């Protein structure tokens, strides 16, 4: 299995930026990820983060 370039805390940080109102395309450019990767992260992590 391939090791991720991003740690769990980095992924959560990106997702929190999106919640704060930063547009997804801007986040993807800034962090060097595809929109598909971002949406996969959101699908996997939002279910696990307490609200």
């Amino acid at each position: 299995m391939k090791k991720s370039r991003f740690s769990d805390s980095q992924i959560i940080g990106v997702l929190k930026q999106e919640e704060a109102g930063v547009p997804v395309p801007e986040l993807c450019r800034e962090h060097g990820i595809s929109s598909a990767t971002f949406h996969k992260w959101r699908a996997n992590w939002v279910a696990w983060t307490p609200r």
Side-chain angles (χ1 to χ4, degrees), residues 24-51:
V24 173
E26 186 177 322
L27 282 173
C28 291
R29 276 192 304 274
E30 181 181 330
H31 296 286
I33 59 173
S34 69
S35 62
T37 297
F38 175 82
H39 291 292
K40 189 185 331 179
W41 287 353
R42 186 166 57 185
N44 289 335
W45 284 95
V46 170
W48 297 101
T49 54
R51 297 229 170 219

Side-chain angles (χ1 to χ4, degrees), residues 8-31:
D8 292 347
S9 60
Q10 288 173 316
I11 293 170
I12 292 169
V14 172
L15 295 174
K16 285 184 187 275
Q17 283 182 314
E18 190 263 339
E19 285 180 356
V22 179
V24 173
E26 186 177 322
L27 282 173
C28 291
R29 276 192 304 274
E30 181 181 330
H31 296 286

